[in-house]
Every structure is written in C-alpha cells, then in structure tokens.
C-alpha cells in the first residue's frame, strides 16, 4: 500500500479493512460460522450480507457454510447459519464501525487484515479460528513488528505469588535484553510483571520489547490499575485486540484472546498457574498450534505451582531463566551453558574434583590436625607406600598437603574440611 | 541355613562370612581389584591370600585379574594387583575382623554375604562394584527385609532449606504410609527428614518404614547430631554399611555408599540438591543401574534447587508428592489421580466449566447489577433471541441467572464475579 500500488487496490484494501472491522463488531472472536461465511462470500460480501444490505439465497449459503465447517472438522452443533446471522444482525451499526476506525486512527493505530503488509502470517495457523482483523495501537507500524521467531509469550496467574512476580520480571527483562519481544495479556500478576521486566531494557537499540494482546477494545485500558503500564506499552510497543474500541472484555473474549497470544509467538512460557488457570488455556493453544511450550516450576507445596508442575509432567520444557527461554525458541546461537554463567556454580567448584580415586582416598586419610607418616597413611588409605608417596608429591604441588620432618597433613582450605554426603 | 542344611554348609557359610568381613576391612568400597581377586580365587582363598596365609603364584593371578577387569570394561589404570595387595596387607589384622563380627552381633546385627538367605539380590546389579558384604544392625533379620520393589531412596542436600526439609518429611511419611520403605543415608538435612517422616507412621502393621545406609562403621552413630534418629531407625528399621565397625566415614566411602542406596531401591528421588551435591551421585548411580529417577522441583531462584531442576531437564520425573513416588516405582494399583485428591483442586471448580460456548457468551452478557431484557442480551451476547431464551431457561435451572418482570441478571456467586484472564 506504500509504493507502486494503484488506487483501485487501495480502495479494495480499504473496503476489506472496513468489512473486517465490521465483522469483528458483529461476530464474537473465534466464531466459525462468521469465518466460514467470509470464506464462501469473501470479506466484503459477507459483511454486506450480514449487515442486511445484500440479498442472497440463504438456503444455498447454509449448505456451503455447513460443508465448509464439516471439512474443517468443526462441530457447529445445533446452531444454524440463520440463527448466527440473526444474532449478528442485532448488533449491526455501520456508523459505529466507521467511528471505531476513526477512533483507532486517532489513538495512533489502525485495523490490520490478512491482506495487509505486516499482517502476522503466523495467525493464519489458527485456520478457521483466525481473527477477522487486528485492532492495534502503539509505537510501531505493522510492517515493523517483529517476526514470530523473535516473539515469546510469558503468561501466568493474576493472583501471582511474590516468587512468581519476581521470576516474571526477571524473565521479561532477560528476554528483551536478548532482543526478543515479550507478548502477554496486560493483566495483573505475571502478565504485568513480564511486560514491566521487558520495559526495563534500554530502548535505544530496541523499539519493541513487548506487546500486549487485550480481550476488549483498545480505547480504554483494562484493567484500570494497569493503565500506566499499558500506556508505557503503547509508547514503546504495541497493544492488539481483535475486538473494536468500545468492546467490553468478557470471559469468552479473555479465553479467545489466549489463542492469539499463543499463535503470535514462537514459544509460550507459563510462569505461574494454579491447577485451574486461564494461562493453561494459552498453553494448550500453543501445543495445538505446534508451538513449543515451557513452564517455570515452583515449590510443590504451593497452590500457585500446581498448573505449571502439571504442564512439566505432561511434557512442557522446564524453564529456569531467559537463557532456557531462548533455547526453547530455538535460538541456540552456538551457546552452551557453562558453569561460570551462574554465580552459584562458581563458588561450589572444589580443588579435589579432578582427583583420581586413589588420590581421593589418600586425601581422606590425611589428618587435618596433627601429622601422619607415610606408613600410617598407607594403612589409613589402603594404598601401598609407593602410591602414597606419589600422591603426596602431587598434593604438595597442588597445595593440598604440606609436610614437616617427613610427616604430612592436609593443608587447610574451606572445601577440604568435611566429607560431603 | 535354618532348616535342612548340614553342618558342612554352615561351616562353609561361616568361613565365607568371615572372609567377606575381612575383605571389607582390607579393601575400600568399590575396589574392583579386590572384587576380581574374589572372582578368580573365591572369597575364602582371596582373603587368605591377601592376609598372607596362602602362598600363590602372583604372576598368574595378575594376568587372570587383568583379563577379568578388562572383560568388565574396567580401566584399572597403572595400578597393578601387586600394588593393590601391598596396600591391603598394611591393614591385615585377623583378630580385629573377628572382634568386629562379635561386636556387630552384640549390637544386634550381623554380616551378610551374597551367599546368605536375605541378601538383597538387587545389589548384584552393581556387578564388579557389588559390596563384599553388608554389615547390618536393627530390628529385622535380613530374610524379613522388604523386596526391592517396595524400597525407594529419598536423598538430598545436607544444607537443606526449610522448603526441602518440609517436602522430605511429607514424602517420607507419605511413602511409609503406603507400606513402602524409605532408604536414605542418615545424614543431616533431607536424609534425616525423610527418615523422620517415615518413622511417623504407625508401626503396628509395618515394621520396616525406613533403612539407612551408612558410610562408616555401625558401632557409632554418625553424624553425632543424628544419634537419636539413628537409634530410632535401629529400633524400627535397619542400618547398613559395607564397612566394618571402627571404620571412619571418609569422602570416598560417602561417594561409594551412594551406589548401595541406589542399587537397593526400585527408584531414587532427589528432594533438594545444589548444582553440585552428593545426592546427584546417587541419582547418576540409579540411572546407570536402570532404576527410575525422580526429583522434586523448587523455586528456580534458589541455589538449593539447581541440582534437582537440572535432573528434571535431563529426564528425571518431576515428583510432587508420595503418590508421584508410588507411580514412579510402578505401583499404579489401578490408581488414576482425580481432581478430588488435592484440596486446592476442589475449591477451584466452577459452575460454568461445563457450559457451551453460546451459554458462556450469554453468561458474560448478563448484568451483575441492574437488569437486562432479552433483546439487549441478544445484542450484548451476539446470540439470536431464540438462543438467548433457551440459555436463560438453562441458567434458571442451574441457578446461574434470575429473572424479575421479564428482566434478567446474573445470580451472584463467588466464582461468577470477574472474568478470568
């Protein structure tokens, strides 16, 4: 739409955008009847038909839509197209659609359809559940949004523990620090902490640390307590929704929103989830879409861990830190974790780790207080005198033993004092 | 040895027991040269040869032992049999061996060899690393010890966290409560808590809740701070060691002791372990022996979790409770976990879990405060009037909605108030 496109195409794209915006007002997210109707009639005709401005033979449509739904493996149940249409028609208000489009433009955003440049093509993996369009606002135009391979969703419970919040903020910042984008739902708890963590990174070189997918319209920030956070995301990232401005978030829309989060991302990581948690729905969408799934474990005694522990037992990858997330996403980059990466590993390396079995037995036999001669070391260690002498010579060089008048003792060091169980 | 055995066999068994006791004094645990010598000469001749009371051609022996070690895939390195023998000979003291046997008998125990009834035959899986004998004391004769399939080792760090200690005591009691035996190392921290947990169960019906495998002689309780615990284990279970009374626990003996713990058990579960921990050696022995391995996760932010988290990432089964341990051990018993097994699952079941998508959308559309008519519910839900009416009829029956003068609202219940993210 930027260069070398004729006015005809622009008009067509514009009409499609308005039709998609209109359909997103009429049908609920994930409505397979609406999706089938669009497939059969095309976006513009479908919207015109549903709005009542086009006369079509509904009997033929019912059959075409039913066949399509059947071919998709959908079980529409008792609901017929006519019922669906009558439901949508109660919501028809074309002026409101045009107002919504003007409103999102005023808010610094727009409406994106699958025909637009910048459409996240990974959403097409949702098939009949793909959104009609995306309403967006924020700091980057769609063609500058990151690719799927650079996006990871971090989701979890709203009533998170201090532990979960702390892990989420660390993961968010660690992931953004690697130049990857954190996707979440803008909710309280884990979502908010993951966004906040991502926003802690310097934005000089990286303009899209995080993206939030909302369940309702983008004209207001929900929940209100996260207004500042969502404003920050607008300023340095993007807010998305498949529902137009003015739409309230409902339970259904929250549940459907999760499939968008999962589909946008290369991987999904659940930081904290109870046995029943909305975050698990995102996890299941990720698995259904063939995306990789990770989960952060927590104490087995905490109710807030039961969902993530269940996911790990069912095959989700155990995630400890941002590096584990990058590996989950397939960003190996020649990286192999080393013992120096984690501070607690360094301190526990011990001088005797490289000793042979014989030298280990000799080291055990050396007194810490007092002194021992070679013969008594032979008895204590079960090694013959020659093995004792050559071992003592090595220990002398390594600073593990010291001698005086032909007697030997262990040289004091913090790690040599007690045998470890 | 109890019924129908002749005196000749008893004499032979006694001599073998003394020889095994003697070998366990001379050679360190896991000494493959000693094991090979026993294979070549037999237990009694090997002990007599090493004690210096039998004259044999050492050149032939060296070759036979070397070939045997090679066939076992052992890499004895530069150490020759003659060197090994000269090391052992420095420790020869036959009277001390007889004293040790009398001592363990006085302590209410004995020396068990692979030829005795009651020998835990699963120890033979250690092959050339099998112990020469077991020194034991406690409340049950070997032929009454549990079978491998009923034993599970619970191991972990000595410097355990409050979380780890709490999980270990819960696991110990939960496992013993199922009639299974907890094996551990009698050390501080996780070991002690697992033993203690097992000892909390009623002993009327179950005489062997726990067993401790020690790194040193059983004449004294080590560590001293666990004396009461080890005394309790003696009274209701069994203490084992492959070293004779008077033997000090050394680092080498601690490490070798871990292979006995792993080999005795059907499964090994690590409750808490740092990045480097002796408990990981038990875990690796378990895997090498083909035993199933479990690990209890903990906070990813805790140094005390890093070893167990690594094990789970490497394939160990995530363990949350005693039920998970029983499943790990293969005790399915027709058991399938249900939602009512855990108290926190019950409370989170919600009335709307079984609703259809349409009814879920209708429920979302119902006001909590104020009232709505059927037409406005149709607009809010996107359902046609017929679907709204049939849904309201169902909700009325389920207590989810209430009506007044043809107007409807959601019926208040704790789980219906807020949409879940």
């Amino acid at each position: 739409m930027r260069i070398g496109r004729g006015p005809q195409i622009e008009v067509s794209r514009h009409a499609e955008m308005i039709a998609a915006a209109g359909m997103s007002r009429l049908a609920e997210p994930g409505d397979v009847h609406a999706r089938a109707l669009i497939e059969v009639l095309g976006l513009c005709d479908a919207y015109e038909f549903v709005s009542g401005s086009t006369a079509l033979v509904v009997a033929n449509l019912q059959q075409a839509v039913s066949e399509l739904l059947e071919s998709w493996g959908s079980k529409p149940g008792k609901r017929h197209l006519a019922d669906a249409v009558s439901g949508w028609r109660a919501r028809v208000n074309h002026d409101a659609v045009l107002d919504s489009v003007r409103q999102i433009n005023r808010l610094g955003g727009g409406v994106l359809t699958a025909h637009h440049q910048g459409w996240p093509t990974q959403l097409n993996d949702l098939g009949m559940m793909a959104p009609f369009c995306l309403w967006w606002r924020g700091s980057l135009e769609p063609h500058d949004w990151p690719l799927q391979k650079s996006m990871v969703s971090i989701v979890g419970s709203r009533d998170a523990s201090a532990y979960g919040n702390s892990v989420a903020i660390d993961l968010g910042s660690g992931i953004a620090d690697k130049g990857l984008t954190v996707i979440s739902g803008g909710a309280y708890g884990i979502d908010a902490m993951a966004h906040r963590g991502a926003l802690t990174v310097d934005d000089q070189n990286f303009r899209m640390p995080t993206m939030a997918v909302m369940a309702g319209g983008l004209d207001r920030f929900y929940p209100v307590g996260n207004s500042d956070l969502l404003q920050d995301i607008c300023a340095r990232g993007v807010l998305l929704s498949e529902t137009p401005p003015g739409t309230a978030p409902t339970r259904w829309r929250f549940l459907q929103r999760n499939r968008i989060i999962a589909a946008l991302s290369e991987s999904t990581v659940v930081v904290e989830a109870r046995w029943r948690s909305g975050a698990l729905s995102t996890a299941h969408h990720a698995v259904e879409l063939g995306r990789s799934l990770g989960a952060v474990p927590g104490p087995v005694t905490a109710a807030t861990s039961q969902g993530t522990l269940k996911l790990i037992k069912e095959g989700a990858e155990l995630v400890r830190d941002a590096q584990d997330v990058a590996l989950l996403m397939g960003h190996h980059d020649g990286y192999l974790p080393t013992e120096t990466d984690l501070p607690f590993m360094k301190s526990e390396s011990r001088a005797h780790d490289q000793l042979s079995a014989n030298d280990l037995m000799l080291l055990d036999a050396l007194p810490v207080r007092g002194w021992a001669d070679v013969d008594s070391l032979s008895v204590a260690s079960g090694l013959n005198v020659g093995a004792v002498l050559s071992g003592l010579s090595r220990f002398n060089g390594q600073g593990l033993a010291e001698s005086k008048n032909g007697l030997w003792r262990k040289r004091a060091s913090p790690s040599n004092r007690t045998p470890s169980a």
Side-chain angles (χ1 to χ4, degrees), chain A:
Chain A
M1 284 180 62
R2 299 184 162 261
I3 300 163
R5 306 280 179 98
Q8 188 57 49
I9 291 176
E10 283 202 21
V11 168
S12 156
R13 287 281 181 276
H14 184 76
E16 272 168 355
M17 184 269 283
I18 296 295
M23 285 305 291
S24 77
R25 177 186 165 85
L26 301 183
E28 286 292 325
D31 187 322
V32 293
H33 277 90
R35 165 60 51 191
L37 194 69
I38 290 169
E39 288 291 317
V40 170
L41 295 181
L43 201 40
C44 293
D45 282 356
Y47 177 58
E48 284 189 21
F49 166 66
V50 174
S51 316
S53 51
T54 301
L56 285 161
V57 183
V58 176
N60 292 353
L61 258 188
Q62 171 71 59
Q63 193 181 343
V65 164
S66 293
E67 284 172 8
L68 195 52
L69 289 174
E70 206 170 321
S71 77
W72 285 339
S74 167
K75 289 176 194 122
K78 292 177 205 145
R79 202 181 180 212
H80 286 277
L81 178 62
D83 293 338
V85 170
S86 67
W88 302 330
R89 281 197 172 143
R91 288 174 167 177
V92 168
N93 184 339
H94 190 62
D95 287 343
V97 173
L98 298 178
D99 281 347
S100 291
V101 173
R102 279 190 289 268
Q103 189 177 9
I104 200 74
N105 288 337
R106 274 199 311 275
L107 291 169
V111 182
L112 190 67
T113 75
H115 304 289
H116 283 112
Q117 193 192 7
W119 173 256
T121 52
Q122 64 268 36
L123 290 178
N124 301 341
D125 295 347
L126 287 165
M128 62 179 170
M129 299 289 280
F132 313 124
C133 63
L134 289 178
W135 299 79
W136 68 272
R137 59 183 286 202
S139 67
L140 270 85
E141 296 283 329
H143 63 274
D144 287 331
W145 295 353
L147 297 175
Q148 179 191 349
K149 66 176 181 186
S150 299
M151 297 205 278
V152 56
S153 40
I154 305 292
V155 297
S157 296
R158 291 180 303 161
D159 55 343
S161 70
Y163 164 68
N165 283 331
S166 157
V167 170
I169 203 162
D170 283 355
L171 274 189
S173 69
I175 290 165
D177 209 43
K178 292 175 185 292
L180 304 170
T181 299
V182 172
I183 300 186
S184 196
Y188 291 131
I190 298 301
D191 285 20
M193 291 302 146
H195 289 303
R196 277 191 211 287
L199 288 168
T200 62
V201 301
D202 179 21
D203 68 346
Q204 294 306 100
N205 302 315
F206 185 42
R207 298 271 331 278
M208 182 66 125
T210 192
M211 190 182 246
V213 185
M214 313 305 291
L218 301 181
D219 53 321
R220 68 186 185 108
F221 294 133
Y222 180 91
V224 175
N226 279 352
S227 294
D228 287 353
L229 171 65
L230 295 168
Q231 187 61 59
D232 286 351
I233 297 174
C234 273
R236 296 192 42 212
V238 164
L239 297 185
L240 295 181
S241 176
E242 56 178 322
T243 64
T247 310
T250 60
R251 193 173 348 241
W252 175 261
R253 291 169 193 148
F254 274 113
L255 283 172
Q256 290 301 312
R257 182 271 311 266
N258 294 335
R259 83 191 197 289
I260 307 282
I261 292 179
L264 282 172
S265 315
E266 181 72 20
S267 306
T268 290
V269 174
V270 184
V271 171
E272 201 169 61
R274 290 169 183 267
W275 190 259
R276 290 163 168 279
S277 162
L280 300 182
S281 113
T282 314
H284 294 146
H285 282 299
V287 170
E288 276 170 21
L289 289 162
R291 312 281 197 257
S292 54
L293 175 66
V296 176
V300 296
T301 46
T304 44
S305 303
Q306 300 309 316
T308 44
L309 296 177
K310 183 172 61 166
L311 288 178
I312 294 169
K313 281 190 84 71
E314 289 170 358
E317 185 67 25
L318 188 154
V319 164
R320 297 163 297 189
D321 52 24
Q323 184 57 42
D324 280 348
V325 174
L327 291 171
L328 181 71
M329 295 170 73
H331 298 283
H332 296 279
D333 298 335
Y335 173 94
L336 282 175
T338 65
E339 296 210 348
T340 53
D341 286 329
L342 295 169
F344 48 75
M345 293 183 200
K346 264 185 184 167
S347 63
E348 297 187 32
S349 171
R350 293 191 184 103
H352 55 71
D353 282 341
Q354 303 305 319
L355 296 186
S356 70
N358 280 357
D359 281 1
L360 204 51
M361 288 190 265
L362 178 59
L363 191 66
D364 285 341
L366 276 170
V368 178
R369 294 186 204 85
W371 300 81
D373 64 17
V374 170
D375 284 341
S376 67
L377 287 174
S378 168
V379 172
S381 66
L383 301 172
N384 70 358
V385 170
V388 169
L389 285 173
S390 70
L392 289 174
S393 149
R394 279 187 292 279
F395 288 176
N396 201 32
Q398 295 162 341
L400 292 172
E402 54 191 349
S403 69
K404 193 175 70 177
N405 303 329
L407 299 174
W408 290 81
R409 71 173 178 189
K410 201 176 290 183
R411 208 161 144 180
S413 93
S415 67
N416 278 335
R417 269 173 204 147
T418 44
S420 53

